[in-house]
Amino acid sequence: MATSSVSKGCFVFKPSSKKRKKNSDVGSDDGEMARIRVNICQRLWDMTKSETEMLQDELNKKILDSLLEFIKKCASSFQSQMNDWASLMRASEIPTAALVLGVNVPDHDMTFQSLSVLLQQSVTPFVVSVQAKECTALKHLMQKVLERLIGVDVAVDDDDEDGGQRSAPVHQKRVHCSLSSLCDWYSSVTKKYETSPGKKRTSMAKDMISKPPIVIIFKDLEAFNPRVLQDFIVICSRYIQKLPLMFIFGIATSPSTIQHMLPHSVSSLLCIELFQSLSCTQHLATVVDKLVLNTEFPFKLSGKVLQVLVSIFLYHDFSVRNFIKGLQLALVEHFHSQPLSVLCCPKKEALDHAQKLSHQEVERIRQLPSFMRYVENQEPQKQVELLTNDGCVKEVCKILMKALRKYHKNYYPILRCLHTLTSSLPKYPLGKQIREIHISCLEKNVWETEEYDSAMQLLKLMAKDELVALLQKCVVILSSSKSKKMKAALGQLQNYLAKFDQLDTLSAEEVMQEAVSPEKDLQKKTDLFQLQKTLLERKETRRTKKMTPFEVLRNQILEFVDSLVRAHLVPPESQPLNEVCYYGSSGVLRRHLNATPRTSIQTALSHPYYYLQHEGLKTDSGTFSNAAPDICIVHKLHLECGRLINLFDWLEAYSTVVSAAEGKDPDSSDYGKVDELKHARFIQAVSELEFLGFVKSTKMKTDHVARLTWGGC
């Protein structure tokens, strides 16, 4: 009996131990470097966050301290017993702080949060904040105030009318929505503080008074319904003898908003004091100075990226908070897209990472445009070594990273000096803000621009006292730098200032000599011809006026400043390995921050593969997949129609496309037939298109819809 057998075997070919070890080392090195990049990015993120919070506290300190002083003063006056008629009339007014914060509304939350914390720590635990969107009616405003003060549910009239359907659980306490309930609660709470101050006031500040005020913060005054606000103020004024109420109005536009919203009969019930916060442009200038123009912050922005962030700030929301978010987004994008960002860290750490670079990362360094230019400028033997020897590249990388750090140490002091000298000039040739000069220096050689030439021409016309004052500010800037070149520049600048001091005595003596010597010459010249010749020479010298010692010294100083600018304000693209620290993908950042909803919707409906990344939706240009989502199919069909679209024809066409997607036979009777499921899917897709603004119902024809967009397939 003939038999046959089939043997199946699984054979494993193990790679050599040397090769396996090499591959595992490469993978572990890449993973380790990726973890280091994430760690560095997280540390820089935390650094920007902490620096921003510290700046916010420093900038708001003055206005918050004045607000606290105002509230403490009002609270103490409420405590004192007032017997005379004038004091009683004054006591009937509600103390109100009108806090003008500016149009940068996204930044207001941080300010109000800091204010609430300060008030609760030093003045009163009874602080409540309300917004217009949650207080559309008077009862809602009263409810929010009472709930956030008392901490329990507050029953309004609607709840009482609904009866048991909306009643709270039995164990949950409810309070009637009225200021009389607030008075009862406040008197009971303050009595507890008075009877047992040691136990009840442990969480409160020691300097809090026995009857702390109730502070109500209206975050966005302009958005409130004027009628609701007026009624609330009138009601509160009737309880001011029992409740130490205080208001804080958050104003984004102008203090005149209060006059527009409140009639005199209501505004007379308020004792208003105005507080003006720092402007958002000054806030941004401080943030740029502390974060962007900081040698200790290794991550840098290119000129185009910084211009994108500044443009969004100036032309959209004036929000410093959103500017910081853009900076953090650029930070994450840089560390995600640039593998060599592992070197974007403090000096010692960067040198250690440079020594640990793998062969793959060394190859990436060789491919950097700035490093390629550096190699081209070396001698042939050095070029071969840099292109073949990884160890040599690592050592050169350390040297270049040190040089890049020195470049930044010299760049920022000179940039600040240039801004100090030019920011006071008329029409601001180089820009009023330091960020404008910084962007110009990042993009090109600033000394080759017309603006720089005009600034230098204006500086040559500056008076002595004004120029000396500006140079003394430059001395202060350079004295804070530890760079050797900046110390040498500081010494030269101080020598020039010393010459200015000597100039006063010298110029007085020269003026006396110039006044006496011509008279002596004229007395000597008795001959008419010689006298005429002397007068003609003097006339010629007046035309070509000789420069005074001050003008000569001023020109020397400006030439010295110009030499510093040419030496230290070169664009960072000229520095080798600048790609490690500088993020320059302005287009990516603009797409993230400057959202274009219309373009995104059109792309999603016309090319669903762009977002879904499903292989079944991938098609050639000019074609469309019948397996696309329903709204995409309906959108594609509506592009083929005119101004009015027949719903039945639209449904028939949709059903045909869906039947083809389901794989039905075109010759079958069910092909293209409309069933309930397809009908429901079509109605939902059309409703979504209507919600997005592509179509709308029309009264011209009941079975048609009007198209709201232009253009065909």
Side-chain angles (χ1 to χ4, degrees):
M1 179 176 166
T3 60
S4 62
S5 65
V6 179
S7 298
K8 296 181 179 180
C10 180
F11 303 96
V12 179
F13 296 92
K14 295 183 178 180
S16 63
S17 59
K18 185 182 293 183
K19 185 176 181 181
R20 185 169 65 249
K21 184 178 179 181
K22 182 178 179 181
N23 292 335
S24 63
D25 290 344
V26 171
S28 63
D29 288 344
D30 291 343
E32 183 182 358
M33 285 300 180
R35 286 192 293 272
I36 292 174
R37 281 161 56 197
V38 172
N39 185 24
I40 296 172
C41 182
Q42 184 63 49
R43 279 187 286 145
L44 293 179
W45 178 290
D46 296 338
M47 181 179 175
T48 58
K49 185 178 179 181
S50 59
E51 285 287 338
T52 305
E53 292 174 353
M54 288 174 59
L55 283 176
Q56 184 78 18
D57 293 340
E58 290 176 6
L59 295 174
N60 289 335
K61 186 178 185 304
K62 185 176 181 180
I63 187 171
L64 293 181
D65 289 346
S66 58
L67 268 171
L68 288 177
E69 188 65 29
F70 168 74
I71 293 173
K72 287 179 180 179
K73 181 179 68 175
C74 296
S76 60
S77 63
F78 181 84
Q79 289 290 112
S80 60
Q81 297 294 330
M82 303 179 184
N83 298 321
D84 59 301
W85 181 83
S87 300
L88 289 173
M89 289 299 295
R90 187 69 176 175
S92 64
E93 297 177 352
I94 303 175
T96 304
L99 181 58
V100 183
L101 295 173
V103 295
N104 51 328
V105 178
D107 299 336
H108 294 181
D109 286 338
M110 296 177 64
T111 304
F112 286 124
Q113 184 178 0
S114 302
L115 177 60
S116 299
V117 171
L118 285 175
L119 288 174
Q120 291 173 346
Q121 289 177 349
S122 58
V123 180
T124 173
F126 311 130
V127 181
V128 57
S129 300
V130 290
Q131 288 181 291
K133 63 182 180 181
E134 58 191 12
C135 304
T136 54
L138 178 62
K139 58 185 178 183
H140 298 147
L141 176 57
M142 298 281 287
Q143 184 183 19
K144 292 297 179 184
V145 171
L146 267 67
E147 282 181 351
R148 292 171 183 175
L149 282 174
I150 302 176
V152 298
D153 284 345
V154 177
V156 295
D157 295 339
D158 290 348
D159 296 340
D160 296 339
E161 292 173 2
D162 290 345
Q165 294 181 357
R166 297 183 61 185
S167 60
V170 178
H171 65 275
Q172 191 171 0
K173 186 178 179 181
R174 295 176 70 87
V175 177
H176 185 64
C177 184
S178 65
L179 282 186
S180 59
S181 302
L182 183 62
C183 289
D184 297 338
W185 170 83
Y186 182 78
S187 60
S188 62
V189 170
T190 51
K191 282 181 181 178
K192 290 179 181 179
Y193 282 132
E194 292 173 357
T195 54
S196 55
K199 297 180 181 179
K200 296 294 181 180
R201 298 180 65 182
T202 53
S203 61
M204 300 172 61
K206 294 181 179 180
D207 56 345
M208 282 189 184
I209 54 181
S210 59
K211 289 189 176 182
I214 298 174
V215 181
I216 303 175
I217 302 175
F218 298 85
K219 288 186 174 182
D220 45 354
L221 183 70
E222 290 91 344
F224 274 86
N225 187 335
R227 189 64 189 172
V228 172
L229 196 61
Q230 293 169 21
D231 293 342
F232 183 74
I233 293 173
V234 170
I235 294 173
C236 290
S237 65
R238 297 173 182 172
Y239 290 86
I240 191 63
Q241 300 295 339
K242 300 178 181 178
L243 288 173
L245 292 170
M246 295 184 189
F247 295 158
I248 297 178
F249 290 160
I251 302 173
T253 53
S254 171
S256 60
T257 303
I258 299 176
Q259 299 176 356
H260 297 323
M261 295 184 66
L262 305 178
H264 181 265
S265 59
V266 178
S267 61
S268 61
L269 301 175
L270 304 176
C271 177
I272 302 175
E273 188 164 335
L274 183 64
F275 297 89
Q276 181 77 46
S277 69
L278 193 69
S279 68
C280 52
T281 53
Q282 292 175 306
H283 192 174
L284 177 66
T286 308
V287 170
V288 170
D289 188 67
K290 295 293 184 182
L291 289 180
V292 179
L293 308 179
N294 186 359
T295 55
E296 301 302 324
F297 193 64
F299 174 68
K300 309 296 179 184
L301 299 176
S302 69
K304 292 182 179 179
V305 171
L306 184 58
Q307 186 63 56
V308 168
L309 294 179
V310 173
S311 298
I312 293 174
F313 171 84
L314 293 176
Y315 302 117
H316 284 75
D317 52 10
F318 287 99
S319 173
V320 178
R321 183 179 180 184
N322 290 344
F323 180 88
I324 297 297
K325 287 182 180 179
L327 176 63
Q328 292 175 333
L329 177 60
L331 174 69
V332 174
E333 282 288 335
H334 177 68
F335 277 87
H336 173 70
S337 60
Q338 177 57 269
L340 296 174
S341 57
V342 69
L343 301 175
C344 183
C345 52
K347 179 181 176 181
K348 293 183 180 179
E349 193 175 350
L351 298 181
D352 293 339
H353 294 164
Q355 188 63 39
K356 298 177 183 178
L357 292 175
S358 63
H359 174 72
Q360 186 179 7
E361 289 164 338
V362 171
E363 286 297 325
R364 289 195 181 105
I365 289 179
R366 291 190 177 114
Q367 294 171 6
L368 292 176
S370 63
F371 190 79
M372 293 171 67
R373 290 193 297 269
Y374 172 78
V375 173
E376 290 174 357
N377 295 328
Q378 303 302 312
E379 297 179 356
Q381 185 178 357
K382 186 68 173 179
Q383 290 181 0
V384 174
E385 197 172 359
L386 288 171
L387 295 175
T388 56
N389 189 348
D390 289 357
C392 178
V393 174
K394 293 179 182 179
E395 293 301 322
V396 170
C397 185
K398 293 180 183 178
I399 297 173
L400 295 180
M401 291 304 297
K402 290 180 181 178
L404 186 62
R405 186 174 179 84
K406 290 179 180 178
Y407 162 78
H408 290 133
K409 285 186 175 181
N410 297 330
Y411 176 92
Y412 294 127
I414 300 301
L415 177 69
R416 290 188 172 93
C417 289
L418 182 61
H419 171 252
T420 301
L421 292 171
T422 59
S423 59
S424 60
L425 296 177
K427 296 185 179 180
Y428 313 110
L430 288 175
K432 185 178 181 180
Q433 301 293 337
I434 192 172
R435 63 173 182 268
E436 301 174 78
I437 306 177
H438 179 52
I439 292 173
S440 300
C441 294
L442 291 176
E443 294 179 345
K444 54 199 169 187
N445 293 332
V446 69
W447 59 86
E448 296 177 355
T449 61
E450 295 180 2
E451 293 81 5
Y452 180 83
D453 291 338
S454 61
M456 283 298 169
Q457 293 297 327
L458 290 172
L459 286 174
K460 290 180 180 179
L461 302 175
M462 188 171 286
K464 177 188 171 184
D465 294 340
E466 189 176 359
L467 182 61
V468 169
L470 294 178
L471 292 176
Q472 288 174 347
K473 292 181 181 179
C474 294
V475 167
V476 175
I477 294 171
L478 294 177
S479 60
S480 62
S481 176
K482 298 179 181 179
S483 172
K484 293 181 180 179
K485 292 184 178 180
M486 293 300 101
K487 289 182 179 179
L490 174 63
Q492 287 183 270
L493 193 58
Q494 288 175 338
N495 290 336
Y496 281 119
L497 287 174
K499 290 181 180 179
F500 268 121
D501 295 336
Q502 299 172 1
L503 197 63
D504 295 332
T505 56
L506 292 175
S507 59
E509 294 176 359
E510 290 179 0
V511 167
M512 291 295 296
Q513 291 177 0
E514 289 179 359
V516 173
S517 59
E519 297 297 330
K520 290 182 178 179
D521 291 339
L522 287 176
Q523 291 174 3
K524 291 179 182 179
K525 307 298 181 183
T526 56
D527 184 46
L528 183 61
F529 175 76
Q530 292 294 333
L531 181 60
Q532 187 177 7
K533 184 179 178 181
T534 305
L535 291 173
L536 288 173
E537 289 176 356
R538 290 186 62 185
K539 186 177 181 181
E540 190 66 26
T541 55
R542 285 176 183 171
R543 289 179 181 176
T544 59
K545 185 179 179 182
K546 186 179 178 181
M547 294 178 64
T548 63
F550 163 69
E551 292 173 341
V552 173
L553 185 58
R554 181 176 59 188
N555 289 346
Q556 291 176 357
I557 290 178
L558 294 180
E559 288 175 2
F560 171 66
V561 172
D562 181 66
S563 65
L564 292 177
V565 170
R566 293 173 183 268
H568 302 297
L569 292 188
V570 293
E573 292 180 358
S574 62
Q575 303 299 313
L577 300 186
N578 68 84
E579 297 91 344
V580 172
C581 298
Y582 281 85
Y583 177 72
S585 301
S586 58
V588 176
L589 194 66
R590 186 182 287 107
R591 283 196 297 272
H592 284 306
L593 298 177
N594 260 356
T596 53
R598 182 184 62 82
T599 306
S600 302
I601 292 171
Q602 292 279 9
T603 303
L605 296 179
S606 303
H607 308 285
Y609 175 78
Y610 182 81
Y611 288 105
L612 299 179
Q613 296 293 313
H614 189 273
E615 291 298 326
L617 302 175
K618 197 172 184 179
T619 59
D620 298 330
S621 59
T623 60
F624 193 80
S625 174
N626 53 14
D630 293 338
I631 187 173
C632 298
I633 298 173
V634 171
H635 174 264
K636 179 69 174 179
L637 294 172
H638 114 283
L639 292 177
E640 302 173 359
C641 302
R643 189 172 63 86
L644 294 177
I645 307 175
N646 189 308
L647 287 171
F648 182 76
D649 296 341
W650 200 4
L651 175 60
E652 289 286 337
Y654 166 78
S655 180
T656 303
V657 175
V658 172
S659 297
E662 293 173 351
K664 292 184 178 180
D665 185 9
D667 298 330
S668 64
S669 59
D670 294 339
Y671 187 81
K673 187 177 180 180
V674 179
D675 55 17
E676 292 183 357
L677 180 59
K678 292 179 183 176
H679 196 188
R681 289 167 58 186
F682 174 76
I683 292 174
Q684 182 180 3
V686 173
S687 300
E688 291 171 350
L689 275 187
E690 184 177 6
F691 175 75
L692 292 174
F694 286 91
V695 295
K696 71 172 184 177
S697 58
T698 176
K699 296 181 180 179
M700 297 176 64
K701 294 183 179 180
T702 55
D703 57 344
H704 285 63
V705 292
R707 184 177 167 185
L708 300 177
T709 57
W710 289 265
C713 296

